[in-house]
């Protein structure tokens, strides 16, 4: 029985890591489809003009393209859209397998590794919602609120899978003070908010509303229209009253994303610096700082080089990478309250929190010693 459970656990781990890689691919390909204006390449769902593939619907696609050569439909765009749907469909099947295996392995352990049946079932619910959002993205003609929610749904799938993968790998956790844990949780929430701002900027085609950097139209206080910029229930390019969305509203969307980048990026860099000074979390801190700086650099390059497609897609991939880093860091710390009047500090040594053989420690934490006791000679 134990050998059989070990075989199931191995299959579960393989499925989880395959799904994690596939999810990252789906997120990046989805960004590519959106940024190359192929989101309506097939104007129906789930097929393409009622067919399984653009090859089978070629006559309808070519007729639509001939009627409007500059419209959203072409054979190339249809293939981009359908490849994204095929990948997402394959991911859905893989997630069903993960949920079944996770439920079968509930209560089982292999060292510190274990399944996460509740998270796997939650993941399935998110994927069902994500499928509906994908349908509404097409049938509701790229409404910004739906497209942004679709982006966030993809990121939610990625984050949940990263958490499940960490549990399946048995990566050990360290004890941390409540303030540290709260700061890391806040950092994750701030990153999600910033990703939502980025999605709102992209789905409203406001990425080049400010063509210069660090100013916007030569000013740090550009003309903006925040009231219409962030009205959620509206059509693409329109206000809630049905009027064309002003350039000042697009400027407000872009400028708010930049302000968010400064605030969230500063918070995460500060958190990374604090982590890098702790022996048990130095690697995490350095990786976090590197991820933030890379993402900021790509964002600046997008403005300076007028949003080339490759850099725009890389900016989406960078957001996904940062999300994975924050999930990894938040998973790595568990809450432990210290006795009154005592501070806890990690014992110096070669141990590091991360992907290593030493991670299989049955959930044990790295050794912590009260500083106050050590000063009294009791350590």
């Amino acid at each position: 029985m134990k050998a059989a459970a070990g075989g199931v656990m191995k299959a579960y781990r393989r499925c989880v890591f395959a799904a994690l890689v596939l999810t990252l691919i789906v997120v990046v390909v989805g960004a590519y489809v959106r940024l190359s204006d192929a989101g309506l390449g097939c104007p129906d769902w789930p097929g393409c003009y009622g067919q399984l593939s653009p090859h089978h619907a070629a006559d309808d696609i070519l007729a639509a393209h001939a009627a409007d050569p500059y419209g959203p439909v072409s054979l190339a765009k249809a293939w981009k859209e359908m490849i994204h749907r095929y990948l997402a469909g394959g991911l859905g099947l893989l997630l069903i397998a993960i949920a079944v295996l996770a439920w079968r392995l509930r209560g089982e352990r292999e060292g510190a590794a274990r399944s996460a049946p509740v998270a796997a079932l939650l993941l399935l619910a998110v994927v069902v919602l994500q499928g509906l959002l994908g349908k509404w993205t097409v049938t509701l003609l790229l409404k910004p609120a739906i497209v942004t929610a679709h982006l966030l749904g993809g990121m939610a799938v990625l984050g949940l899978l990263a958490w499940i993968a960490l549990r399946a790998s048995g990566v050990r956790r360290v004890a941390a003070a409540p303030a540290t844990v709260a700061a890391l949780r806040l950092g994750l929430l701030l990153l999600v908010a910033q990703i939502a701002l980025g999605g709102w900027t992209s789905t409203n085609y406001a990425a080049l509303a400010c063509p210069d950097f660090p100013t916007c139209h030569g000013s740090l206080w550009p003309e903006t229209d925040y009231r219409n910029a962030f009205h959620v229930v509206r059509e693409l390019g329109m206000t809630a009253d049905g009027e064309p969305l002003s350039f000042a509203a697009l400027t407000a969307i872009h400028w708010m994303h930049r302000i968010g980048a400064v605030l969230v990026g500063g918070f995460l860099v500060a958190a990374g610096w604090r982590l890098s000074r702790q022996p048990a979390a130095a690697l995490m801190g350095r990786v976090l700082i590197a991820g933030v700086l890379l993402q900021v650099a790509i964002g600046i390059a997008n403005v300076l080089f007028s949003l080339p497609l490759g850099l725009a897609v890389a900016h989406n991939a960078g957001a996904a990478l940062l999300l994975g880093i924050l999930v990894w860091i938040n998973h790595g710390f568990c809450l432990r309250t210290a006795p009154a009047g005592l501070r806890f500090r990690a014992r110096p040594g070669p141990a590091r929190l991360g992907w290593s053989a030493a991670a299989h420690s049955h959930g044990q934490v790295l050794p912590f010693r009260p500083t106050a006791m050590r000063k009294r000679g009791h350590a």
Side-chain angles (χ1 to χ4, degrees), residues 83-125:
I83 287 172
H84 177 58
R85 294 185 193 178
Y86 298 150
L87 290 171
L91 176 61
L93 294 176
L94 195 52
L95 295 180
I96 292 173
I98 289 172
V100 171
L101 291 173
W103 191 255
R104 181 176 173 183
L105 288 168
R106 65 189 187 280
E108 297 284 346
R109 284 177 177 267
E110 185 182 279
R114 53 180 174 168
S115 67
V118 175
L121 291 176
L122 177 61
L123 188 58
L124 275 184

Side-chain angles (χ1 to χ4, degrees), residues 340-353:
L342 298 182
R343 286 191 302 114
F344 280 74
R345 185 170 66 189
R347 179 184 300 165
R352 291 289 185 271
L353 185 67

Side-chain angles (χ1 to χ4, degrees), residues 133-161:
L133 288 170
K135 173 185 176 181
W136 296 332
T137 293
V138 175
T139 59
L140 297 180
L141 303 179
L142 304 181
K143 276 192 175 181
I146 300 297
V147 179
T148 302
H150 192 47
L151 168 68
L152 291 175
M155 293 295 183
V157 172
L158 183 67
L160 279 169
L161 266 173

